[in-house]
Structure formats: C-alpha cells, structure tokens
Amino acid sequence: LAGMVIGELAERVKLPRITGYLFAGIICGPHILQIVDREVVAQLKIIDELALALIAFTAGGELKLERLKKAGKAIAMITAFQTLAVFVLTIAATVIASYFYEPFANLAFPSLIIAALFLGVIAATNSPASVVAVIVDTGSRGPVSEQVMSVTVFKDVIILILASFVMAIGGWVLAPATATHSVAWVFVDTIASIAIGSFIGVLIILYVRYIKREMVLFVVAASLVIVYESELFGLHFILECITAGFIVENFSNHGDELIKAVERTSMTVYVVFFAIAGASIDLSILQHSWIIALAFVIVRAFSFGTGTRLGSAITNQPRFMKRYSWTGYLGQAGVSLGI
C-alpha cells in the first residue's frame, strides 16, 4: 500500500512509479520505520523470483527476430562496447580503490582481480525489470525504447553466462581441483536452460492455442513452476523464461497474448518487487561504503555513456540515439539481484 501511494506521488513529480516503490521499501524497511523486518523481507523473496520470471517472459517477448535482423549490428556493437568499457573501467577503479579502501586493500592481488571481475559483471548488467516497468508505466514507444530493450535483454543473456565463468574462475583461484568441473558446468547449465526454455515456450504456445483460459493465472503458475524446476536442477530460470518468451513471440502468433497476460499481472508484482528491493538496502553498510558505492555508480554511468556512443557511432545511429539512449541502461534491479 505504501508503495502504491508513494508511486503515485512520484508520478505527480514526473518520476517513474518504481522510484516511489523503492522509496517506500526503504522507508518501511528494517532501517527506518521497521514496519517490515529482515525476516519478512527474506520470506518475501519468492515474490522476487516470481517478478523476475514475469519480467524475463516480457523481455524475451521483446526480442523480435524482425527487429534483431534490422538492428542486429547496432545491438551487437553497443552491447560489446558497453561491456568492454564497463569491465575495463571497473577493474581499473577497483585496483585504484585498493590503495585507500580497506576491504579491497586487505585482499591478495589474485583475489582483488576476481572481486574486480565480479563487480564488472554486476556493473555491466542491465535491468529488464526497470526498463519494462518504465516502458509500461509511461507508455513509451519508439526507436529508443526498442533499442534499449533489445540491448538490455541481449546483453543480460551474455552477462548471465559471463557471471558463471567469473564464479568458475574464482573457484579455480580458491580451489583449483574443482575448476574444470565448474567451467564445464557453465556450458551444460546454459545449454540446458535454453533447451528447457524452448520446450516451455512450445508448451505455452500449445496452451494458448488449444485451451486459452485464465491466462493470468496460467502465467503466474508457469512462472512459479519454472522457478522451482530451475532450483531443483541448478539451472538459470531467468534464461529459461527469456528463451520461452522469445519462442512464443517469434514462432507463433500468440506473443501479444502472452505479453498482455504478463502485463495484467505485472503492476501488483512490480510494487512488491521494487518495495522489497528498497527494503533490502542495508543502510548501515551504505553508511560505511557510500563513497565506493557512489564511485561505482559514476564509473558505471560513464562506461555506459562511452560504450553507447562508440557503438552508435560505428553503426551510424541517428544523433538522438547517441545523445539519449544511454540513459535507458542505467537502472539496476532484477538480473543484478538474481546474480
């Protein structure tokens, strides 16, 4: 309720509603009013996973083959330059911070580089949750929204795989005996997640074509089943849902029906999802690390601005795309929290 009220107030001052949901979570969370304590926040994590699954369905549905063929080069170049810029600058900033920021200074150099790589993964991650929520909230349509969504989803699929590799490398540094096994499982997990996501996509197509009843309930139930199944087998449920959404959108005529069912569900889920995200912010940690957090935000924003401009320039994107589209990549939520 607080999220909905503060979300409406945020809209009045020309901010996205999700900003209000986040503020509501911070205010009502364990560190200010304490209406919601840490235990309740932990118990509500199932809502996080449900929201991420619904967002991933929408994101996969936005990866239209027609659009990818038309703007594939631009999407690939922007993704590549953003990712490269983020990793280079984040690693450099982490190494510099190790000279004056105590937690980094206490790390051995190999561990410092692993920490920097993992921060690079988190920094490079975009947020389909934020992008989808803002687009749905504002009714935005046009080339900027389309490109931001396409790059966000395409890059997050790559980042999910990169994150697995970074964790495997970290395991190799700490326990070399398990390294080969860990790296091999990155490929197995990724291929299995895509294969199961494709199978789920086919099942959804059959349901919509032949049954087509209680679509909202069906989408929520399917999302929860995917979350449970992925945890059972140790797979990536976000990747499964993105793949399923992609299959339904591009290999059937029912993509719009799936997206509409998700959007009818999404508003309530978004309120809880972003409010929980706000309540999960540990203000006591932020109090001691706000300088490094602020530096992280600035480095990340500069990296996205640089990478987007370079990628757009190489592919001859219109001037307004170079000037404005980078701002659409700054939000962080779903996939970052998932990783």
Side-chain angles (χ1 to χ4, degrees):
L1 289 172
M4 292 180 73
V5 170
I6 299 177
E8 290 292 331
L9 293 174
E11 190 178 33
R12 300 278 177 91
V13 294
K14 307 298 183 185
L15 287 172
R17 291 183 193 180
I18 62 171
T19 309
Y21 305 158
L22 285 164
F23 273 122
I26 293 170
I27 292 166
C28 296
H31 300 283
I32 298 182
L33 296 182
Q34 300 179 354
I35 295 172
V36 179
D37 60 25
R38 291 176 187 271
E39 187 179 344
V40 173
V41 171
Q43 289 171 349
L44 288 171
K45 286 296 178 184
I46 186 62
I47 303 292
D48 271 6
E49 293 172 341
L50 171 61
L52 287 172
L54 292 171
I55 289 159
F57 272 130
T58 305
E62 291 295 335
L63 275 180
K64 297 180 170 75
L65 279 175
E66 183 182 350
R67 188 188 302 163
L68 291 175
K69 288 176 185 175
K70 185 179 177 182
K73 186 179 178 182
I75 292 168
M77 286 293 101
I78 291 170
T79 297
F81 278 106
Q82 278 187 4
T83 306
L84 181 63
V86 166
F87 268 94
V88 169
L89 292 175
T90 302
I91 291 170
T94 305
V95 172
I96 292 168
S98 69
Y99 288 98
F100 61 87
Y101 184 60
E102 190 174 322
F104 290 163
N106 294 332
L107 292 175
F109 188 73
S111 298
L112 178 67
I113 296 302
I114 294 298
L117 285 171
F118 193 74
L119 283 173
V121 166
I122 298 298
T125 305
N126 294 128
S127 172
S130 300
V131 174
V132 170
V134 171
I135 287 175
V136 170
D137 193 24
T138 60
S140 300
R141 293 289 181 271
V144 173
S145 297
E146 289 178 2
Q147 189 178 87
V148 168
M149 176 58 81
S150 297
V151 171
T152 294
V153 178
F154 181 66
K155 195 208 297 188
D156 279 352
V157 171
I158 294 170
I159 291 298
L160 282 169
I161 299 168
L162 273 178
S164 299
F165 272 110
V166 169
M167 287 186 279
I169 292 168
W172 180 78
V173 170
L174 296 172
T178 64
T180 304
H181 177 77
S182 298
V183 173
W185 273 107
V186 172
F187 291 104
V188 173
D189 287 353
T190 302
I191 292 167
S193 298
I194 292 172
I196 291 175
S198 301
F199 177 68
I200 291 167
V202 172
L203 292 180
I204 292 172
I205 291 170
L206 293 174
Y207 182 90
V208 176
R209 182 175 296 172
Y210 296 110
I211 301 176
K212 200 178 178 179
R213 295 179 61 188
E214 302 294 345
M215 279 297 295
V216 172
L217 183 61
F218 169 72
V219 167
V220 172
S223 300
L224 291 172
V225 168
I226 291 169
V227 169
Y228 175 76
E229 162 267 314
S230 64
E231 288 182 355
L232 192 64
F233 296 109
L235 301 176
H236 302 292
F237 77 87
I238 296 174
L239 192 53
E240 287 184 29
C241 292
I242 288 174
T243 304
F246 176 81
I247 294 293
V248 175
E249 175 60 42
N250 293 286
F251 298 97
S252 77
N253 298 320
H254 305 296
D256 288 343
E257 294 173 65
L258 176 65
I259 299 300
K260 284 176 183 175
V262 173
E263 286 180 352
R264 287 203 300 274
T265 316
S266 62
M267 186 51 68
T268 305
V269 173
Y270 286 163
V271 175
V272 182
F273 174 74
F274 285 104
I276 292 171
S280 300
I281 295 173
D282 194 322
L283 297 182
S284 60
I285 292 177
L286 190 61
Q287 184 179 355
H288 297 294
S289 60
W290 68 270
I291 295 177
I292 201 75
L294 181 61
F296 181 84
V297 170
I298 292 169
V299 167
R300 184 173 177 272
F302 181 77
S303 302
F304 280 151
T306 303
T308 303
R309 283 179 175 272
L310 286 172
S312 298
I314 287 174
T315 53
N316 297 315
Q317 294 290 295
R319 188 177 176 184
F320 70 87
M321 295 292 281
K322 299 176 193 175
R323 180 176 292 182
Y324 299 117
S325 65
W326 70 275
T327 60
Y329 303 109
L330 295 183
Q332 270 196 304
V335 175
S336 304
L337 295 172
I339 290 172

